[in-house]
Amino acid sequence: MRPMANPQAHVPRLVLSGQVHARIHGTGPFGRLNAAIAVRITRIVGTMYCAYVFTVIALFALPAAIEQGSPTVLVNWLSSNFLQLVLLPIIIVGQNVISAAQDARAEADHETLTALHQMSAQQIQILNGQNQILDLLREKAG
């Protein structure tokens, strides 16, 4: 964070997670397309409904893994089919919840910081007025 030459000119701004897509893929047409596709797929896969569907899909392969009778096959089924398929959407759902909470905190912080910024600007105006009064008193006394 670099210091501002004129902190009184600072205007607080609010940046939410949805506004940073251009930083990842760029602002060109392909970048916007890539971001839109990625967001759309993430919204589809990042649901508990998708986790339930993936659980059912993984469970279809369970009887074949049990039939093999090998612990290695069962571990492979658990790690490859079940954990990867089911945990992926659940983790995305969790990240979406966390992101929404962070955005809500950012909005609340932004409102607070904007109010503090306005109060600070008012205080500076009051102090400048007091300085003018003091200067006038010095002139009259001197």
Side-chain angles (χ1 to χ4, degrees):
M1 203 169 164
R2 65 175 214 258
M4 295 181 61
N6 185 9
Q8 295 158 341
H10 174 72
V11 177
R13 62 188 177 100
L14 175 62
V15 178
L16 299 176
S17 57
Q19 298 168 328
V20 298
H21 294 169
R23 291 184 184 176
I24 296 168
H25 291 287
T27 57
F30 289 115
R32 289 192 309 270
L33 177 66
N34 287 339
I37 291 171
V39 168
R40 181 74 179 143
I41 290 172
T42 300
R43 284 192 178 147
I44 292 169
V45 174
T47 64
M48 288 306 296
Y49 299 111
C50 190
Y52 300 142
V53 169
F54 285 178
T55 300
V56 170
I57 291 171
L59 290 176
F60 274 121
L62 180 59
I66 292 173
E67 190 176 296
Q68 294 282 329
S70 168
T72 305
V73 173
L74 286 172
V75 168
N76 284 338
W77 172 84
L78 179 66
S79 64
S80 297
N81 290 357
F82 190 75
L83 292 178
Q84 288 182 21
L85 279 176
V86 176
L87 287 182
L88 172 68
I90 293 172
I91 290 169
I92 293 172
V93 169
Q95 289 297 320
N96 290 340
V97 170
I98 291 168
S99 178
Q102 289 172 334
D103 281 353
R105 280 192 298 275
E107 288 182 42
D109 289 349
H110 177 70
E111 290 171 5
T112 302
L113 291 173
T114 300
L116 289 172
H117 177 71
Q118 290 172 347
M119 289 188 317
S120 178
Q122 289 172 348
Q123 289 173 341
I124 290 171
Q125 288 176 345
I126 292 168
L127 289 173
N128 286 337
Q130 290 175 348
N131 284 339
Q132 289 174 354
I133 292 170
L134 288 173
D135 289 342
L136 287 173
L137 289 173
R138 283 188 197 110
E139 286 176 15
K140 295 214 179 221

